[in-house]
Amino acid sequence: MLDSAHFLQNFNLTLTSPVELIKCLRSIKEHAFSASPYPVIITLEDHLTPDLQAKVAEMVVETFGDLLYYPDSECPKEFPSPESLKKRIIISTKPPKEYLAAKNDKEKNGNSQNLDDDEAWGKEVPDLQTVLDKVSAFAFARSPPNYKSIITIRAGKPKGEISEALKDDLDKVRRLSLSEQQLEKIAATHAADLIRFSHRNLLRIYPKGTRFNSSNYNPFVGWIHGAQMVAFNMQGYGRSLWLMHGFYKSNGGSGYVKKPDFLLTVGPNNEVFDPKASLPIKKTLKVKVYMGDGWRIDFKKTHFDSYSPPDFYTRVGIAGVPADTIMKKTKIIEDNWTPVWNEEFIFHLTVPELALLRIEVHEYDMSEKDDFAGQTCLPVSELRLGIRAVPLFDRKGIQFNSVKLLMRFEFV
């Protein structure tokens, strides 16, 4: 997503040595376009000594060769489109002077962080309304000449007043990076400015550094404010990552999802989309859960209960803007490997363009935590209507061989 009109699937990867870096670059070159021909943007966070900087730049150029895209100018007035950059690899980073200034500010001001963690596996996705109410790239001190020439997306972090940092410059476009904590604070006071900024520029959100267990945050906080790049930790798993997987099932799993028009336009009074506004219902989705099967094939007989068949129930809900977000669940079917629920759920959607249908199956346990039995997230905008066999996935997003739900989807 080089232009600002798309959401781009974005993951965080931490490298700790030159050997890991060269392996990573070679792997990217080999697999970059296996799933899609659309461009790959590389943002690596490396803290290198000056004597290694030229070598790393050389690695990038030599590894990617003709795949590497060189920008036409140092400060472009608009980003190229994904269509125009198929089969190309893009570098996004801070210009050397900006990196050095940011590094000095960080050392001057200290680096204190909140050590709490919002999501270990098993917890619900951090509530979007609560978050709203509560309120990379190579790093170079000096850069070899050829490195600056390959920076397509000039990155930076907000400096001074946030209203100034979010001002749109008609003479150039840029990428602004915000931590998840910064996003929450700014969204509470400058939500409209964030969305206006993302009309022409790229907005990237990244996880707080204290997520040492590779947990993640609610990606919808970024998406509903126009952020094109919502960086995620890919080493872990959990409900937030399930949402990320589901969101990018759109557009054939290409990693690029077109932004809805309301996140790209300005009204007659210069107004923009308000994620917290009370909006009229656009669509009503009716979901019926008939039955499930396949666990007896994919799981051992004693996986859920040692002495009896499992007691399954299904959770069905919507992830999206705060007004649409909700979870419901079926009754528990006791002692049955092939549960039949025949239950129907109705969801009134104000922003169906950003909505995901969440589906989870659990096995009820009276004395301990309920057992996980499968999940999936599906973009509402791409649901295939009618009666469908819906495959389920494990915690890491790998599809089960046999486990499926028989469901019906319709708009009424």
Side-chain angles (χ1 to χ4, degrees), residues 189-262:
T189 56
H190 294 79
D193 292 332
L194 276 173
I195 294 174
R196 287 193 189 94
F197 179 84
S198 71
H199 285 177
R200 293 184 63 248
N201 303 281
L202 297 183
L203 186 60
R204 173 180 175 264
I205 313 303
Y206 59 91
K208 61 185 179 183
T210 53
R211 291 189 178 276
F212 55 87
N213 62 349
S214 293
S215 62
N216 283 300
Y217 51 103
N218 190 335
F220 274 96
V221 183
W223 290 333
I224 66 176
H225 288 95
Q228 297 92 345
M229 306 173 77
V230 179
F232 254 43
N233 291 314
M234 61 182 295
Q235 300 95 329
Y237 51 86
R239 286 190 172 98
S240 293
L241 192 54
W242 302 346
L243 297 182
M244 179 69 74
H245 289 161
F247 192 79
Y248 285 100
K249 287 177 182 174
S250 293
N251 197 23
S254 65
Y256 285 76
V257 175
K258 183 74 170 64
K259 273 192 185 182
D261 290 341
F262 60 77

Side-chain angles (χ1 to χ4, degrees), residues 103-151:
K103 182 174 183 291
N104 290 339
D105 287 343
K106 186 175 181 180
E107 292 173 351
K108 182 178 179 180
N109 297 327
N111 188 28
S112 60
Q113 298 190 54
N114 186 358
L115 297 179
D116 66 338
D117 195 357
D118 294 334
E119 183 202 289
W121 187 84
K123 292 184 180 179
E124 184 51 273
V125 177
D127 178 65
L128 184 55
Q129 185 64 59
T130 301
V131 171
L132 293 179
D133 290 343
K134 257 194 330 185
V135 175
S136 358
F138 289 93
F140 291 100
R142 293 194 308 252
S143 178
N146 66 333
Y147 187 78
K148 188 175 182 179
S149 68
I150 66 174
I151 300 175

Side-chain angles (χ1 to χ4, degrees), residues 78-357:
E78 63 180 13
F79 291 121
S81 69
E83 188 69 23
S84 69
L85 292 174
K86 286 183 175 179
K87 298 283 185 138
R88 304 302 293 271
I89 292 175
I90 315 299
I91 301 297
S92 174
T93 185
K94 296 176 190 173
K97 289 182 180 179
E98 291 189 23
Y99 166 70
L100 186 58
K103 182 174 183 291
N104 290 339
D105 287 343
K106 186 175 181 180
E107 292 173 351
K108 182 178 179 180
N109 297 327
N111 188 28
S112 60
Q113 298 190 54
N114 186 358
L115 297 179
D116 66 338
D117 195 357
D118 294 334
E119 183 202 289
W121 187 84
K123 292 184 180 179
E124 184 51 273
V125 177
D127 178 65
L128 184 55
Q129 185 64 59
T130 301
V131 171
L132 293 179
D133 290 343
K134 257 194 330 185
V135 175
S136 358
F138 289 93
F140 291 100
R142 293 194 308 252
S143 178
N146 66 333
Y147 187 78
K148 188 175 182 179
S149 68
I150 66 174
I151 300 175
T152 298
I153 305 175
R154 298 171 66 87
K157 295 185 178 181
K159 300 175 183 178
E161 293 293 327
I162 190 60
S163 57
E164 290 296 316
L166 292 175
K167 277 188 176 178
D168 189 19
D169 188 339
L170 297 179
D171 293 327
K172 63 181 179 180
V173 287
R174 57 197 171 96
R175 193 201 82 188
L176 182 67
S177 288
L178 301 174
S179 69
E180 58 177 289
Q181 302 107 310
Q182 288 175 316
L183 174 65
E184 291 177 10
K185 292 178 181 178
I186 295 172
T189 56
H190 294 79
D193 292 332
L194 276 173
I195 294 174
R196 287 193 189 94
F197 179 84
S198 71
H199 285 177
R200 293 184 63 248
N201 303 281
L202 297 183
L203 186 60
R204 173 180 175 264
I205 313 303
Y206 59 91
K208 61 185 179 183
T210 53
R211 291 189 178 276
F212 55 87
N213 62 349
S214 293
S215 62
N216 283 300
Y217 51 103
N218 190 335
F220 274 96
V221 183
W223 290 333
I224 66 176
H225 288 95
Q228 297 92 345
M229 306 173 77
V230 179
F232 254 43
N233 291 314
M234 61 182 295
Q235 300 95 329
Y237 51 86
R239 286 190 172 98
S240 293
L241 192 54
W242 302 346
L243 297 182
M244 179 69 74
H245 289 161
F247 192 79
Y248 285 100
K249 287 177 182 174
S250 293
N251 197 23
S254 65
Y256 285 76
V257 175
K258 183 74 170 64
K259 273 192 185 182
D261 290 341
F262 60 77
L263 280 174
L264 295 166
T265 56
V266 177
N269 298 315
N270 200 34
E271 71 272 17
V272 295
F273 174 70
D274 182 356
K276 292 184 285 186
S278 179
L279 300 172
I281 294 170
K282 280 188 180 180
K283 287 188 177 182
T284 297
L285 173 65
K286 186 185 290 186
V287 177
K288 186 161 187 176
V289 186
Y290 290 106
M291 61 176 293
D293 199 7
W295 290 281
R296 72 179 83 199
I297 301 173
D298 291 347
F299 291 83
K300 293 180 180 179
K301 188 176 181 179
T302 57
H303 179 85
F304 297 106
D305 285 319
S306 300
Y307 305 106
S308 64
D311 309 319
F312 288 128
Y313 66 91
T314 297
R315 300 179 73 220
V316 183
I318 296 293
V321 297
D324 295 347
T325 300
I326 191 172
M327 287 299 287
K328 304 178 182 181
K329 71 177 184 178
T330 67
K331 58 183 176 290
I332 299 167
I333 302 299
E334 296 183 355
D335 299 333
N336 201 320
W337 282 97
T338 309
V340 176
W341 294 286
N342 281 329
E343 293 192 46
E344 193 168 75
F345 302 94
I346 294 178
F347 302 101
H348 301 293
L349 305 176
T350 62
V351 188
E353 299 91 337
L354 292 178
L356 293 177
L357 177 65

Side-chain angles (χ1 to χ4, degrees), residues 28-96:
I28 290 173
K29 181 180 181 180
E30 181 180 356
H31 302 288
F33 307 107
S34 298
S36 162
Y38 288 109
V40 171
I41 300 174
I42 297 180
T43 303
L44 299 176
E45 189 74 32
D46 280 284
H47 303 279
L48 303 172
T49 56
D51 59 323
L52 289 175
Q53 293 167 7
K55 182 61 179 175
V56 170
E58 183 182 344
M59 287 179 186
V60 172
V61 173
E62 288 187 356
T63 301
F64 295 133
D66 292 340
L67 295 177
L68 192 64
Y69 174 76
Y70 291 82
D72 295 331
S73 63
E74 185 175 309
C75 297
K77 291 188 176 182
E78 63 180 13
F79 291 121
S81 69
E83 188 69 23
S84 69
L85 292 174
K86 286 183 175 179
K87 298 283 185 138
R88 304 302 293 271
I89 292 175
I90 315 299
I91 301 297
S92 174
T93 185
K94 296 176 190 173

